[in-house]
């Protein structure tokens, strides 16, 4: 485990919050990393869950090369027109602006219908899959002069912060994570509802997963995909999820990052959830980010049992 503050192989690690987040300096990601530097960055990601690099000069090629030092990049079958054709591993966040239009809505309306509750926006990437990505590396190209920050929360710390009886209770539960959970349909015909029904993805995940590298127990909850806790009533599930989501997003377990052009965030998607910004759309400033995700494994619960596919998902197929 990485030391809280220090330098290893020229990599300087400086924590920025009590439970999560560290800034890394002393490396130029475009020049590549040696084995000691890769090990130091990997250890920092595992320790601090999300790490930040500033002032980097990565292009698309360099972004993918850096990602490959830590795993196999995901290649998405479908991306929007903003993503680079010659780099199938990279998804550009500007693609999101196109999605509402595909279903007859302005982007703002589509977003409001998907995130109508304050906790709905919190998510891990592709959490409805049976094998969510292990990590995400996000690079800022163009950012607004203010606004547009991203926030992450440490789910291992959130689990540890529960009382003993609640931890023991949660250890034995499973929950269904489903694409499109909580979406508020339009009156009459809704093209997005039809899309969800035709392309549904759902998985029964352990409510507490064991991290495959650190052995930590992680409170595997999020507001964006989590549908229902299994084997309890819907009323009980609603109250339990409210309790656990509030625990997972308590301010002391979070870190907020102010983006600059050339900033890179690298986070453990198995042990964090994050909240994309919603304070910049009205400003009219562009925000262009590029994302590479690393392939992940099937979560395993405290009982040693892996997640179970419900519909529309197979390990390794995107």
């Amino acid at each position: 485990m990485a030391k809280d503050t220090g330098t290893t192989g020229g990599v300087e690690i400086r924590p920025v919050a009590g439970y999560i987040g560290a800034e890394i300096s002393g490396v130029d990601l475009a020049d590549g990393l040696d084995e000691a530097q890769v090990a130091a960055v990997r250890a920092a990601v595992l320790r601090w869950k999300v790490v930040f690099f500033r002032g980097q000069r990565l292009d698309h090629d360099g972004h993918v090369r850096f990602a490959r030092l830590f795993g196999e990049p995901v290649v998405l079958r479908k991306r929007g027109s903003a993503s680079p054709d010659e780099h199938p591993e990279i998804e550009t966040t500007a693609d999101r602006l196109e999605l509402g239009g595909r279903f007859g809505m302005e982007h703002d309306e589509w977003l409001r219908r998907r995130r109508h509750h304050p906790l709905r926006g919190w998510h891990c990437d592709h959490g409805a899959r049976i094998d969510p990505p292990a990590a995400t590396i996000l690079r800022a190209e163009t950012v607004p002069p203010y606004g547009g920050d991203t926030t992450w929360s440490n789910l291992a710390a959130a689990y540890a912060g529960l009382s003993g009886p609640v931890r023991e209770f949660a250890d034995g539960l499973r929950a269904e994570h489903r694409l499109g959970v909580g979406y508020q349909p339009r009156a009459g015909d809704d093209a997005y509802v039809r899309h969800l029904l035709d392309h549904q993805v759902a998985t029964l995940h352990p409510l507490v997963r064991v991290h495959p590298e650190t052995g930590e127990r992680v409170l595997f909850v999020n507001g964006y995909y989590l549908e229902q806790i299994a084997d309890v009533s819907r009323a009980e599930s609603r109250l339990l999820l409210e309790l656990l989501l509030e625990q997972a997003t308590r301010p002391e377990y979070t870190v907020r990052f102010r983006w600059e052009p050339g900033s890179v965030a690298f986070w453990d998607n198995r042990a964090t959830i994050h909240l994309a910004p919603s304070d910049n759309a009205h400003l009219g400033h562009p925000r262009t980010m590029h994302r590479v995700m690393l392939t992940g494994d099937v979560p395993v619960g405290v009982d040693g049992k892996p997640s179970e596919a419900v519909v529309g998902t197979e390990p390794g197929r995107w």
Side-chain angles (χ1 to χ4, degrees), residues 273-307:
I273 49 178
H274 60 281
L275 184 65
S278 57
D279 65 343
N280 63 309
H282 64 291
L283 301 176
H285 297 293
R287 184 178 185 273
T288 303
M289 320 284 281
H290 304 288
R291 178 176 74 168
V292 175
M293 299 177 293
L294 302 180
T295 57
D297 53 1
V298 177
V300 173
V302 175
D303 58 5
K305 295 181 180 179
S307 300

Side-chain angles (χ1 to χ4, degrees), residues 221-250:
V221 296
N222 69 81
Y224 190 59
Y225 293 110
L226 215 164
E227 166 73 37
Q228 165 81 26
I229 295 178
D231 301 322
V232 303
S233 71
R234 185 161 289 273
E236 291 168 334
S237 177
R238 178 178 59 82
L239 294 173
L240 288 170
L241 286 177
E242 183 177 347
L243 166 71
L244 296 175
L245 281 170
E246 287 185 353
Q247 170 71 6
T249 57
R250 281 171 54 172

Side-chain angles (χ1 to χ4, degrees), residues 91-107:
E91 183 180 27
T92 296
T93 57
D95 289 341
R96 296 283 185 267
L97 299 175
E98 302 176 2
L99 291 178
R102 297 180 189 175
F103 309 110
M105 289 177 275
E106 294 292 333
H107 178 73

Side-chain angles (χ1 to χ4, degrees), residues 18-253:
Y19 285 98
I20 180 172
E23 286 203 7
I24 292 182
S25 58
V27 291
D28 185 337
L29 303 185
D31 285 343
L33 279 65
D34 61 30
E35 290 185 6
Q37 292 172 326
V38 170
V41 171
R42 186 187 301 275
V45 172
L46 294 175
R47 169 66 177 87
W48 292 106
K49 313 309 180 197
V50 56
V51 299
F52 309 112
F53 305 85
R54 293 194 181 274
Q56 299 297 319
R57 50 188 180 87
L58 285 177
D59 56 13
H60 292 330
D61 284 334
H63 192 166
V64 174
R65 282 197 305 271
F66 175 69
R68 288 190 182 279
L69 296 173
F70 299 93
E72 182 63 29
V74 167
V75 176
L76 295 170
R77 285 180 293 174
K78 294 183 179 180
R79 299 177 299 156
S81 63
S83 292
D85 291 337
E86 68 278 15
H87 294 88
E89 306 91 344
I90 294 177
E91 183 180 27
T92 296
T93 57
D95 289 341
R96 296 283 185 267
L97 299 175
E98 302 176 2
L99 291 178
R102 297 180 189 175
F103 309 110
M105 289 177 275
E106 294 292 333
H107 178 73
D108 287 349
E109 179 189 355
W110 179 72
L111 202 59
R112 284 196 307 272
R113 292 185 178 279
R114 292 165 65 235
R115 299 183 183 178
H116 55 85
H117 186 280
L119 296 177
R120 278 290 180 201
W122 286 95
H123 66 287
C124 64
D125 287 335
H126 291 276
R129 289 184 54 86
I130 194 169
D131 57 345
T136 298
I137 302 170
L138 187 63
R139 168 173 55 101
E141 178 181 322
T142 305
V143 299
Y146 53 91
D149 299 355
T150 304
T151 306
W152 289 262
S153 186
N154 181 339
L155 297 180
Y159 172 82
L162 291 168
S163 65
V166 176
R167 287 199 304 269
E168 185 176 357
F169 179 57
D171 285 347
L173 295 175
R174 297 198 158 229
E176 183 177 291
H177 297 237
R178 181 176 289 269
L179 187 65
V181 162
Y183 173 75
Q184 292 185 327
R186 289 177 135 192
D189 185 49
D190 189 313
Y192 188 57
V193 170
R194 286 189 275 110
H195 170 79
L196 290 173
L197 292 174
D198 291 341
H199 302 86
Q200 193 51 262
V201 177
T203 301
L204 193 66
H205 286 305
L207 198 61
V208 178
R209 70 175 293 185
V210 178
H211 195 286
E213 293 188 70
T214 68
E216 294 172 295
R217 294 186 183 186
V218 174
L219 185 60
F220 196 43
V221 296
N222 69 81
Y224 190 59
Y225 293 110
L226 215 164
E227 166 73 37
Q228 165 81 26
I229 295 178
D231 301 322
V232 303
S233 71
R234 185 161 289 273
E236 291 168 334
S237 177
R238 178 178 59 82
L239 294 173
L240 288 170
L241 286 177
E242 183 177 347
L243 166 71
L244 296 175
L245 281 170
E246 287 185 353
Q247 170 71 6
T249 57
R250 281 171 54 172
E252 58 263 43
Y253 301 136

